Amino acid sequence: MEVDDVRVTYVVDGALEIRPEASFPALPAEYWQDNPDALTGTGFVAMTAGGLLVERAGHRLLIDAGYGPVQSKSAFATIKCGALLESLAYLGVAADDIDVFALTHLHIDHTGWAFVDSQPTFPSAVYRVAEQEWGDEVRTIGTPAPEVISAFDAVKSTFSDGDEVAPGVFAIVTPGHTAGHTTYRITTSAGRGIIAFGDAFHIPAQISHPEWPSAADADITNVLKVRTQLLGELEQPDTIGFGTHFGDQVFGRVVRDAEDVPVWQPVPSIVRGRVSQAYS
């Protein structure tokens, strides 16, 4: 998707199928019954993992790095990931073309390709993570293996809320899912916004029902505060959101329905040569 002087691309790592009652126990059974399209034919929630490539004036920022080369199946989830580097290559971007690699948080499905054999996958990039997140890395659910944490410790550069992590990209520390979970606001030359909100919302249903937490949320009270804040941001004019786990609806706007409930309205992007305008 091209918005003014910025190009943002979802770099897909792979697909996830999650048992709804395991990851989203707060959602009532009636929701799934009333919204059958929210589940696969086998009753799982279809999600994705990957990263957001942000390109502007020769600079390349990658936000998150997917799950990594993981293929597994259990009663609770099916994981088919590992394509992120191939996806980058398809876009004509080499690993050493990335200037900045920034994390929303340290969970394994966001750090999978950060390192290969304990060496940075993106050798020319500055590795950035929120200071609050780093202090909590051993206490969050789903953190990377200890050797990945050690590798991060050797190369990381921490930031605080409001810092500019790349040209025109500012960190909004949104604690709750983890202690230093970070949202990134990308501001274009014309002042339009793209908000990459990481795991503040896992599925579109949580846009309409921010009171429904996810099982992996560490601090539900803060999650609810953060979602209120982010919904206010996402409803601003000329603002697009990016939800990394939102399957084939990763780009969207938050709009109000007839009952004044916020809903996720997917925004078309460039898919296999078909072009639609982000703003119309």
Side-chain angles (χ1 to χ4, degrees):
M1 178 183 294
E2 294 190 4
V3 185
D4 302 324
D5 61 329
V6 178
R7 176 187 294 167
V8 288
T9 308
Y10 184 34
V11 186
V12 178
D13 190 42
L16 314 172
E17 290 187 4
I18 307 294
R19 178 65 68 184
E21 62 268 25
S23 292
F24 307 106
L27 274 69
E30 291 78 10
Y31 172 79
W32 305 113
Q33 294 167 5
D34 294 341
N35 297 273
D37 289 346
L39 298 176
T40 68
T42 54
F44 283 72
V45 182
M47 302 173 70
T48 45
L52 182 67
L53 178 67
V54 182
E55 299 175 276
R56 183 207 310 253
H59 295 283
R60 293 186 177 95
L61 160 71
L62 182 65
I63 299 172
D64 289 338
Y67 216 122
V70 176
Q71 304 278 317
S72 69
K73 186 173 184 177
S74 71
F76 299 103
T78 298
I79 303 168
K80 297 180 180 180
C81 291
L84 185 133
L85 297 184
E86 183 181 345
S87 296
L88 276 175
Y90 179 81
L91 296 169
V93 178
D96 61 1
D97 290 334
I98 303 299
D99 303 313
V100 177
F101 171 59
L103 285 167
T104 57
H105 61 298
L106 284 166
H107 283 173
I108 193 170
D109 55 327
H110 296 257
T111 58
W113 280 109
F115 299 92
V116 175
D117 297 328
S118 298
Q119 297 301 310
T121 303
F122 313 108
S124 300
V126 178
Y127 276 49
R128 309 219 62 186
V129 64
E131 184 175 359
Q132 289 171 247
E133 180 73 359
W134 190 252
D136 196 62
E137 86 282 356
V138 296
R139 295 190 295 277
T140 55
I141 300 171
T143 52
E147 59 268 24
V148 176
I149 295 294
S150 297
F152 262 113
D153 199 25
V155 299
K156 75 180 188 304
S157 171
T158 59
F159 57 77
S160 300
D161 181 57
D163 285 355
E164 188 174 25
V165 300
V169 183
F170 294 86
I172 308 170
V173 178
T174 46
H177 181 63
T178 62
H181 180 278
T182 302
T183 294
Y184 295 94
R185 181 178 180 90
I186 304 148
T187 303
T188 74
S189 58
R192 308 196 225 214
I194 303 160
I195 297 177
F197 50 75
D199 283 7
F201 302 93
H202 283 93
I203 54 177
Q206 292 169 328
I207 298 286
S208 300
H209 294 276
E211 73 277 12
W212 291 346
S214 304
D217 291 336
D219 185 337
I220 293 174
T221 299
N222 267 337
V223 166
L224 300 183
K225 291 179 181 177
V226 160
R227 287 180 178 176
T228 299
Q229 171 192 352
L230 289 176
L231 286 172
E233 296 262 357
L234 289 163
E235 288 190 78
Q236 294 301 307
D238 288 340
T239 300
I240 286 176
F242 170 77
T244 190
H245 290 310
F246 278 27
D248 59 357
Q249 302 180 6
V250 292
F251 294 109
R253 296 188 185 93
V254 173
V255 299
R256 295 276 172 166
D257 67 10
E259 298 179 349
D260 201 35
V261 174
V263 296
W264 183 252
Q265 181 185 79
V267 171
S269 55
I270 299 171
V271 181
R272 301 190 182 194
R274 292 177 299 169
V275 182
S276 295
Q277 292 297 319
Y279 296 97
S280 58

